[in-house]
Amino acid sequence: MMEQQTLTDAQQQFVEQFALAWETIAYGRMEGRVMGLFMIVDRPYLASSEISQMLNASAGAVSMATRKLIMAGFIHRHVVPGDRQHHFAVEEDVWGGFLRSERGYIQRLTAVMDTAEEVLSGDAAGPRRRITHAQNYLNWIDQQHTKLLADWNAYRDAHDPEKPHG
Protein backbone atom coordinates (compact mmCIF):
# COMPACT_ATOMS: atom_id res chain seq x y z
CA MET A 1 0.00 0.00 0.00
CA MET A 2 1.17 3.50 -0.73
CA GLU A 3 2.00 6.01 1.98
CA GLN A 4 -0.97 7.98 3.31
CA GLN A 5 -1.07 11.59 2.20
CA THR A 6 -2.62 14.58 3.92
CA LEU A 7 -3.88 17.51 1.90
CA THR A 8 -2.62 21.00 2.60
CA ASP A 9 -5.15 23.74 3.34
CA ALA A 10 -4.69 25.07 -0.20
CA GLN A 11 -5.28 21.61 -1.68
CA GLN A 12 -8.40 21.13 0.46
CA GLN A 13 -9.67 24.51 -0.74
CA PHE A 14 -9.04 23.53 -4.36
CA VAL A 15 -10.89 20.21 -3.91
CA GLU A 16 -13.90 21.98 -2.38
CA GLN A 17 -13.97 24.70 -5.07
CA PHE A 18 -13.67 22.06 -7.78
CA ALA A 19 -16.55 20.14 -6.17
CA LEU A 20 -18.77 23.23 -6.14
CA ALA A 21 -18.10 23.83 -9.84
CA TRP A 22 -18.56 20.13 -10.63
CA GLU A 23 -21.90 20.14 -8.83
CA THR A 24 -23.25 22.74 -11.27
CA ILE A 25 -23.07 20.20 -14.12
CA ALA A 26 -25.56 17.89 -12.41
CA TYR A 27 -23.07 15.66 -10.64
CA GLY A 28 -22.96 15.36 -6.89
CA ARG A 29 -20.56 17.34 -4.76
CA MET A 30 -18.89 14.16 -3.48
CA GLU A 31 -18.10 13.06 -7.04
CA GLY A 32 -16.61 16.52 -7.52
CA ARG A 33 -14.51 16.16 -4.38
CA VAL A 34 -13.14 12.83 -5.62
CA MET A 35 -12.42 14.29 -9.07
CA GLY A 36 -10.80 17.37 -7.54
CA LEU A 37 -8.59 15.09 -5.47
CA PHE A 38 -7.55 13.09 -8.52
CA MET A 39 -6.76 16.31 -10.39
CA ILE A 40 -4.08 17.36 -7.89
CA VAL A 41 -2.68 14.17 -6.34
CA ASP A 42 0.37 12.88 -8.18
CA ARG A 43 -0.29 9.20 -7.67
CA PRO A 44 -1.02 6.52 -10.26
CA TYR A 45 -3.98 5.25 -8.22
CA LEU A 46 -5.66 5.63 -4.85
CA ALA A 47 -7.32 3.09 -2.57
CA SER A 48 -10.83 3.90 -1.48
CA SER A 49 -9.58 4.10 2.13
CA GLU A 50 -7.00 6.71 1.07
CA ILE A 51 -9.67 8.74 -0.68
CA SER A 52 -11.83 8.58 2.46
CA GLN A 53 -8.93 9.67 4.66
CA MET A 54 -7.75 12.49 2.38
CA LEU A 55 -11.26 13.88 1.92
CA ASN A 56 -12.39 13.16 5.48
CA ALA A 57 -15.38 11.33 3.97
CA SER A 58 -17.18 8.13 4.86
CA ALA A 59 -16.43 4.88 3.06
CA GLY A 60 -20.03 4.79 1.84
CA ALA A 61 -19.84 8.27 0.33
CA VAL A 62 -16.59 7.40 -1.44
CA SER A 63 -18.05 4.11 -2.68
CA MET A 64 -21.11 5.83 -4.17
CA ALA A 65 -19.03 8.61 -5.73
CA THR A 66 -16.47 6.27 -7.30
CA ARG A 67 -19.23 4.04 -8.65
CA LYS A 68 -20.87 7.01 -10.38
CA LEU A 69 -17.54 8.29 -11.71
CA ILE A 70 -16.73 4.85 -13.13
CA MET A 71 -20.13 4.69 -14.85
CA ALA A 72 -19.53 8.14 -16.35
CA GLY A 73 -16.07 7.11 -17.57
CA PHE A 74 -14.01 9.58 -15.50
CA ILE A 75 -12.15 7.01 -13.40
CA HIS A 76 -11.57 3.28 -13.57
CA ARG A 77 -10.86 0.45 -11.18
CA HIS A 78 -7.20 -0.40 -10.72
CA VAL A 79 -6.15 -3.86 -9.55
CA VAL A 80 -3.26 -4.22 -7.12
CA PRO A 81 -2.25 -7.90 -6.92
CA GLY A 82 -2.61 -9.25 -3.40
CA ASP A 83 -4.53 -6.21 -2.12
CA ARG A 84 -8.24 -6.69 -1.49
CA GLN A 85 -9.00 -2.97 -1.29
CA HIS A 86 -10.70 -1.15 -4.10
CA HIS A 87 -8.27 1.09 -6.00
CA PHE A 88 -9.09 3.74 -8.57
CA ALA A 89 -7.18 5.67 -11.20
CA VAL A 90 -8.27 8.78 -13.04
CA GLU A 91 -8.49 8.80 -16.81
CA GLU A 92 -5.57 10.69 -18.29
CA ASP A 93 -7.90 12.82 -20.41
CA VAL A 94 -10.69 13.67 -17.96
CA TRP A 95 -12.15 16.31 -20.28
CA GLY A 96 -12.26 14.08 -23.34
CA GLY A 97 -13.93 11.57 -21.04
CA PHE A 98 -16.45 14.24 -20.11
CA LEU A 99 -17.30 14.75 -23.79
CA ARG A 100 -17.58 10.98 -24.36
CA SER A 101 -19.82 10.71 -21.30
CA GLU A 102 -22.04 13.52 -22.56
CA ARG A 103 -22.34 11.77 -25.92
CA GLY A 104 -23.50 8.62 -24.13
CA TYR A 105 -26.19 10.60 -22.33
CA ILE A 106 -27.32 12.19 -25.60
CA GLN A 107 -27.52 8.82 -27.31
CA ARG A 108 -29.54 7.35 -24.42
CA LEU A 109 -31.93 10.31 -24.46
CA THR A 110 -32.27 10.02 -28.25
CA ALA A 111 -33.30 6.38 -27.88
CA VAL A 112 -35.99 7.40 -25.37
CA MET A 113 -37.24 10.23 -27.57
CA ASP A 114 -37.48 7.84 -30.51
CA THR A 115 -40.16 5.93 -28.56
CA ALA A 116 -42.17 9.05 -27.65
CA GLU A 117 -44.44 8.85 -30.70
CA GLU A 118 -45.91 5.62 -29.31
CA VAL A 119 -47.25 7.33 -26.16
CA LEU A 120 -48.96 10.27 -27.86
CA SER A 121 -52.67 10.11 -28.38
CA GLY A 122 -54.79 11.72 -31.08
CA ASP A 123 -53.65 14.94 -32.70
CA ALA A 124 -51.36 16.12 -29.84
CA ALA A 125 -49.81 18.83 -32.04
CA GLY A 126 -47.91 20.54 -29.21
CA PRO A 127 -46.28 17.38 -27.87
CA ARG A 128 -45.42 16.20 -31.42
CA ARG A 129 -43.73 19.53 -32.15
CA ARG A 130 -41.77 19.37 -28.86
CA ILE A 131 -40.72 15.78 -29.57
CA THR A 132 -39.67 16.66 -33.12
CA HIS A 133 -37.62 19.60 -31.82
CA ALA A 134 -36.04 17.36 -29.17
CA GLN A 135 -35.17 14.68 -31.74
CA ASN A 136 -33.71 17.25 -34.12
CA TYR A 137 -31.73 18.92 -31.34
CA LEU A 138 -30.36 15.61 -30.07
CA ASN A 139 -29.31 14.54 -33.59
CA TRP A 140 -27.66 17.91 -34.16
CA ILE A 141 -25.87 17.96 -30.80
CA ASP A 142 -24.65 14.37 -31.33
CA GLN A 143 -23.06 15.46 -34.62
CA GLN A 144 -21.52 18.48 -32.89
CA HIS A 145 -20.10 16.28 -30.13
CA THR A 146 -18.45 14.02 -32.71
CA LYS A 147 -16.74 17.06 -34.24
CA LEU A 148 -16.00 18.62 -30.84
CA LEU A 149 -14.32 15.46 -29.55
CA ALA A 150 -12.17 15.17 -32.69
CA ASP A 151 -11.24 18.86 -32.40
CA TRP A 152 -10.44 18.46 -28.70
CA ASN A 153 -8.19 15.45 -29.36
CA ALA A 154 -6.25 17.40 -32.00
CA TYR A 155 -5.96 20.47 -29.75
CA ARG A 156 -4.93 18.39 -26.73
CA ASP A 157 -2.27 16.56 -28.72
CA ALA A 158 -0.93 19.79 -30.25
CA HIS A 159 -0.57 21.36 -26.79
CA ASP A 160 0.71 18.33 -24.88
CA PRO A 161 3.91 19.41 -23.09
CA GLU A 162 5.20 15.82 -23.11
CA LYS A 163 4.95 15.38 -26.89
CA PRO A 164 7.57 16.80 -29.22
CA HIS A 165 6.09 19.30 -31.66
CA GLY A 166 7.95 19.82 -34.86
Side-chain angles (χ1 to χ4, degrees), residues 11-47:
Q11 289 172 322
Q12 289 174 353
Q13 184 65 26
F14 173 84
V15 165
E16 296 306 326
Q17 290 301 312
F18 188 93
L20 288 172
W22 190 264
E23 191 176 35
T24 65
I25 59 168
Y27 286 96
R29 188 176 298 180
M30 189 61 200
E31 289 99 53
R33 293 179 74 214
V34 172
M35 283 305 301
L37 178 65
F38 273 112
M39 294 299 295
I40 61 170
V41 173
D42 190 17
R43 301 264 299 276
Y45 58 87
L46 293 171

Side-chain angles (χ1 to χ4, degrees), residues 1 7 18 56 59-61 99 107 123 130 144 160:
M1 184 164 136
L7 299 179
F18 188 93
N56 193 25
L99 284 173
Q107 291 166 346
D123 183 25
R130 288 188 291 275
Q144 297 304 310
D160 188 337

Side-chain angles (χ1 to χ4, degrees), residues 67-91:
R67 189 174 311 132
K68 288 178 183 178
L69 291 168
I70 288 170
M71 287 175 32
F74 293 115
I75 65 173
H76 61 271
R77 295 270 314 262
H78 178 80
V79 177
V80 176
D83 191 338
R84 294 179 47 172
Q85 288 194 76
H86 295 279
H87 296 84
F88 305 95
V90 69
E91 295 300 326

Side-chain angles (χ1 to χ4, degrees), residues 104-138:
Y105 160 77
I106 290 165
Q107 291 166 346
R108 287 188 303 276
L109 190 53
T110 298
V112 171
M113 293 308 296
D114 288 346
T115 67
E117 191 71 29
E118 300 167 11
V119 300
L120 298 180
S121 59
D123 183 25
R128 283 187 207 294
R129 189 170 42 260
R130 288 188 291 275
I131 289 167
T132 299
H133 288 310
Q135 290 169 321
N136 289 340
Y137 173 79
L138 291 166

